Amino acid sequence: MDKKDIAKRYLISAALLYFIGAAVIGIMLWALNRLSGRFDPGAGELILISLLCPLLPLGSFTGFVAFGTRVKGIKTKTAWLLIVFYPVLLVFITVSGIVLIIPCTVKSVISLIRG
């Protein structure tokens, strides 16, 4: 796959992941707010929570895409280390993916424009 194809798939997948996640969380928070009187945030807080929560799975997705496109091959010993240290690796990929959301999006848009 070339850079333009990867960029197009990343942008479509990231947008779907973020907006569908925000919609699902927003609907769940709205329903929870209606069903229970104990959870009583304002409309602005519900929207803010709905927009911030999908950043965590989007960060994981971005991290896996950013690091996965750089890997050419994995040796057996390296695969065993990745399996043993998977929780630490997942935290590292998620945190770095959250940091890389904006740069990867900008880079993908530039790749699409330049072709």
Side-chain angles (χ1 to χ4, degrees), residues 49-72:
I49 291 170
S50 297
L51 293 177
L52 288 178
C53 285
L55 290 177
L56 187 64
L58 181 60
S60 292
F61 175 72
T62 302
F64 278 111
V65 168
F67 292 113
T69 55
R70 288 179 169 66
V71 174
K72 300 296 180 202

